[in-house]
Amino acid sequence: MYYFEDTTKKVHKDDLILPSSAMMYDGVYLEKMIDGYRTLAVTGREMLSLTVETQETQVGSIKLNQKLPARTIKVTYQLIGKDAKEVQKKYHQLMQLLYKESAVEIRFKDELDYHYHGQYMTTDEVRGDTNSIIASFEILCTDPKKYSVLLKTDGPITTYLPYQTIPEKIKVTIVAFGPLKITNGDQTIKITSYNLSAGDQVVFDFLKGKVFVNELDQTFLLDLESDFENFSIKEGQTVQCNNGKMTISYREVQL
């Protein structure tokens, strides 16, 4: 069997201009926002070291605790201007783009299917009398994990999920008048003290920690013994719903 590949296919100009490790910070590429800025290298996205607490014994030691430390991503870049004064103006632009009050979404061009949550933290000292500078800055990710694009399922969890994964949302369209139960086999979310009606739209929003019925906050309807606050999913499970058509939205988690 033979196939034809069009070798004259046009390449988007961004693929020609942006380096493979270009960073998208809060939805924008710095290269696109600042003329003369270019990413040279990125470190800190590789394997993450664990923090292990141990207690020494007569032979070896006993592990007491294990922690995932925060992640620091270091971006080395080049900044060029026609003179030193122009470079200083570009630094003002760079600072305006990087400074945030809280963590933002961070993606890299060579891995756009995943993102981190991080915040600009520190930078190198740089010379102020040159029109070409190579320096670096660091981004702190207090959550060291990276997250995939949003995935959806109506029950079976077939994605590789090596770490605990909490759904972002579970949406249910009720099909019959009555209560609602959702279970992963180990944990259950229940609304049994109130009868929902056919056509009702129920949304369990795990990011907000709330339950909406027809877009109204109805979190109080949850049974007290529900596992809503600690409900999670893992590979191989089939999440079941007793009353409705269900869609689970979640992200694969990686280190």
Side-chain angles (χ1 to χ4, degrees):
M1 181 180 292
Y2 298 89
Y3 68 93
F4 173 76
E5 182 176 349
D6 185 1
T7 58
T8 64
K9 182 180 179 181
K10 292 183 179 180
V11 178
H12 193 281
K13 64 178 182 179
D14 287 350
D15 294 329
L16 298 175
I17 296 172
L18 295 176
S20 62
S21 57
M23 178 180 67
M24 183 184 290
Y25 188 82
D26 198 19
V28 298
Y29 284 111
L30 299 180
E31 279 88 350
K32 286 188 175 183
M33 305 303 293
I34 304 174
D35 185 33
Y37 175 94
R38 186 169 182 83
T39 304
L40 299 180
V42 176
T43 58
R45 293 193 291 157
E46 300 78 20
M47 295 174 64
L48 192 67
S49 297
L50 302 178
T51 300
V52 179
E53 297 177 9
T54 62
Q55 179 179 321
E56 292 187 359
T57 63
Q58 289 183 339
V59 180
S61 61
I62 300 172
K63 186 174 81 170
L64 300 177
N65 195 16
Q66 177 176 303
K67 298 179 181 178
L68 279 176
R71 182 187 295 274
T72 300
I73 296 176
K74 183 177 181 180
V75 179
T76 301
Y77 64 94
Q78 183 178 42
L79 190 60
I80 299 175
K82 64 182 180 181
D83 52 36
K85 185 177 180 179
E86 185 180 63
V87 170
Q88 289 303 315
K89 288 182 179 179
K90 291 180 179 182
Y91 265 116
H92 290 310
Q93 288 180 271
L94 181 59
M95 192 65 197
Q96 288 174 354
L97 291 169
L98 291 177
Y99 178 78
K100 303 292 180 182
E101 292 289 340
S102 57
V104 298
E105 188 173 287
I106 298 168
R107 296 179 188 271
F108 293 91
K109 185 172 177 290
D110 57 5
E111 197 177 29
L112 288 174
D113 286 344
Y114 290 89
H115 68 270
Y116 300 87
H117 295 285
Q119 182 179 5
Y120 165 78
M121 179 176 62
T122 186
T123 185
D124 290 343
E125 289 188 10
V126 297
R127 293 174 54 186
D129 59 351
T130 178
N131 71 328
S132 179
I133 291 172
I134 293 178
S136 64
F137 58 82
E138 292 184 344
I139 294 169
L140 176 65
C141 301
T142 54
D143 177 357
K145 300 183 291 294
K146 63 182 178 182
Y147 298 87
S148 75
V149 295
L150 198 62
L151 306 171
K152 295 185 178 183
T153 177
D154 59 1
I157 309 300
T158 58
T159 310
Y160 174 62
L161 300 176
Y163 310 103
Q164 182 184 42
T165 303
I166 298 173
E168 290 198 1
K169 290 182 181 180
I170 296 180
K171 297 182 180 181
V172 180
T173 301
I174 302 300
V175 295
F177 181 78
L180 173 63
K181 293 183 182 180
I182 297 171
T183 182
N184 61 15
D186 299 317
Q187 301 160 313
T188 303
I189 302 172
K190 297 185 290 184
I191 297 177
T192 59
S193 60
Y194 175 83
N195 288 319
L196 297 157
S197 299
D200 280 349
Q201 302 291 318
V202 183
V203 177
F204 298 90
D205 192 322
F206 295 88
L207 297 179
K208 294 181 179 179
K210 295 182 179 182
V211 180
F212 298 92
V213 179
N214 299 326
E215 300 185 352
L216 296 176
D217 184 353
Q218 303 287 310
T219 309
F220 67 91
L221 293 178
L222 274 173
D223 289 18
L224 292 177
E225 67 272 20
S226 281
D227 294 308
F228 177 62
E229 293 184 355
N230 60 351
F231 191 86
S232 62
I233 57 176
K234 58 185 179 181
E235 182 182 7
Q237 285 182 333
T238 297
V239 181
Q240 296 180 330
C241 171
N242 75 324
N243 185 10
K245 297 180 180 179
M246 176 178 62
T247 301
I248 303 168
S249 301
Y250 66 100
R251 298 181 190 273
E252 178 188 348
V253 179
Q254 293 282 355
L255 288 177

